[in-house]
Amino acid sequence: MGGPSDPPEGTPEGAPGGGEDEYRSVVFDESFVRAARLQEYSAEQRITDHAPAVRRRPPMRRSGLSRQALILVLLIAVAFGTAVYMGVRHPYRSPAADEPAEPLRMTVIPLAPQGEVPGTTDVERLYAHSPAAQFRPGAEGVPLPASRRTAHFSDGQVVSALLTAKDYLVRSALDPGVLTGGEIRPVRTLLDSGQLDQFDQSFDRPTADGRHAPTGWLVRFDPARVRLADREIRVQGTMQAAETDSATLEVTTDHTFVYALRPAGAERDAEASLFTVRRELHFRFDRDDLRLHQAELVVAHVQAGPLSCAEDSAARLRPLLAGQTAKETAPAGTDPYATGSTPALCGSLAPGAQPKL
């Protein structure tokens, strides 16, 4: 029990009279005390002898960073130079790639019959007794030729050009809606955008100026005069593709189309006659045309008959039908089935071009 002077909790630890002080047994000798004496440096010693409080960092080595930056700049410069070089000197780029499409140059030659147009109610007999006896019906008469790659165009690109040319032939000369219905959109969508203004002007303001005749773009009959007696039009011809330069493919086609026609509004048993159209077309394709399934039609040479030379054939074809004769005769005979001939502005059908009934 503690004395009267002791606190209730007892003497605090370390206080006099308290418990054993843990440092009470520690004794510092005189040599230790002298060694521990503080010594203050003079101003001169602090400047000359004492190490500075703040260390100066050694300068950063920049040679490595500068070398990396220089290499990066050089790589960027080389990449940019390569891109510019490839853009200018790319083997598939042509200086004329951005030039506007060439306008279509066309010639439409009416061929007048020498005598009365033959006809019969039997359409198959008409074909069988004409030079079109071995022609194939419809699109079957426009087969794709064997093709191969060129110096700058792949097999697929050559085939794409041929397919586009075939589509143009089918739509512009075999589609009943185009032939007698007055439709033009199926043909228009296949043309290069640079030729659309010329195409539209040809139908808005048709004229026989060698640039704006609708019948230079497509086969178009006057529906007030004729109708199709057989929707299976007979066709025969050739087509071929060739590279004209490193950026251009050209497809040349030469086909003869034979139509069986009757007078508009006539009965089904009315006499039918044949009408022949020979079309020589030159298509041109750049890489954009191939990608978009379009073409530039640059040349169209058309011979069609039997027609009267007195009729205007620029806007629509107005065929002479069975039993009819031309009002005027033409200077020279022209056979649309024979290649290599150059007709006058108005020719005449050779006797062998008509059915022999």
Side-chain angles (χ1 to χ4, degrees):
M1 184 172 183
S5 62
D6 294 335
E9 297 83 4
T11 304
E13 183 179 357
E20 184 180 355
D21 187 352
E22 62 176 314
Y23 299 107
R24 185 173 300 171
S25 61
V26 178
V27 178
F28 298 98
D29 60 9
E30 186 179 357
S31 62
F32 177 83
V33 173
R34 284 198 303 269
R37 195 183 313 171
L38 295 177
Q39 180 180 0
E40 183 178 359
Y41 288 97
S42 66
E44 182 179 358
Q45 286 176 322
R46 285 198 297 270
I47 293 175
T48 59
D49 298 337
H50 192 62
V54 178
R55 280 190 311 171
R56 181 173 300 174
R57 295 182 62 184
M60 182 182 297
R61 292 187 176 183
R62 300 180 179 272
S63 59
L65 180 61
S66 300
R67 187 180 300 110
Q68 292 178 358
L70 179 60
I71 293 174
L72 180 60
V73 170
L74 288 176
L75 287 176
I76 294 175
V78 170
F80 181 79
T82 302
V84 172
Y85 177 83
M86 293 300 292
V88 175
R89 301 289 297 175
H90 194 282
Y92 295 145
R93 184 181 178 92
S94 170
D98 298 328
E99 292 183 0
E102 181 178 336
L104 170 62
R105 294 173 286 114
M106 61 183 71
T107 307
V108 180
I109 309 298
L111 303 177
Q114 297 181 1
E116 187 176 288
V117 177
T120 179
T121 58
D122 187 350
V123 173
E124 291 300 325
R125 185 180 173 216
L126 270 176
Y127 284 128
H129 290 81
S130 75
Q134 304 302 319
F135 287 14
R136 300 169 71 179
E140 294 181 16
V142 192
L144 296 182
S147 61
R148 61 181 180 180
R149 63 176 301 149
T150 66
H152 298 92
F153 291 89
S154 66
D155 292 330
Q157 289 173 317
V158 174
V159 171
S160 178
L162 291 169
L163 282 172
T164 304
K166 176 177 179 174
D167 284 349
Y168 190 93
L169 290 169
V170 170
R171 296 187 192 186
S172 64
L174 298 176
D175 185 342
V178 172
L179 295 173
T180 57
E183 295 182 14
I184 61 174
R185 180 172 175 75
V187 179
R188 189 180 188 275
T189 56
L190 290 175
L191 290 172
D192 184 282
S193 59
Q195 291 188 310
L196 295 182
D197 286 344
Q198 182 189 5
F199 182 86
D200 294 339
Q201 291 175 16
S202 299
F203 290 88
D204 293 340
R205 297 180 297 277
T207 180
D209 62 353
R211 291 288 189 275
H212 301 95
T215 49
W217 297 97
L218 47 81
V219 178
R220 194 184 206 195
F221 296 114
D222 184 352
R225 181 170 295 191
V226 301
R227 66 180 179 86
L228 292 174
D230 184 4
R231 298 174 75 90
E232 289 193 338
I233 299 149
R234 307 303 170 91
V235 188
Q236 180 171 284
T238 61
M239 58 192 311
Q240 58 183 358
E243 178 182 314
T244 57
D245 57 52
S246 62
T248 310
L249 274 177
E250 186 171 285
V251 174
T252 303
T253 68
D254 185 354
H255 289 80
T256 299
F257 301 83
V258 183
Y259 306 84
L261 303 176
R262 286 193 175 99
E267 299 293 334
R268 293 182 61 87
D269 59 353
E271 283 193 339
S273 59
L274 296 184
F275 187 83
T276 304
V277 178
R278 179 182 169 194
R279 304 175 79 201
E280 299 174 70
L281 307 180
H282 292 191
F283 299 92
R284 189 169 295 163
F285 300 85
D286 58 25
R287 284 181 169 74
D288 285 339
D289 292 327
L290 295 174
R291 178 175 55 85
L292 298 172
H293 192 61
Q294 295 177 341
E296 296 178 40
L297 180 59
V298 294
V299 176
H301 184 73
V302 181
Q303 304 172 57
L307 289 169
S308 174
C309 293
E311 293 277 6
D312 182 5
S313 301
R316 295 182 184 272
L317 299 174
R318 297 176 173 86
L320 295 173
L321 301 175
Q324 296 180 338
T325 58
K327 296 179 180 179
E328 296 180 2
T329 59
T334 301
D335 184 354
Y337 295 94
T339 60
S341 59
T342 303
L345 292 179
C346 183
S348 64
L349 280 169
Q354 295 277 20
K356 297 180 179 178
L357 302 176

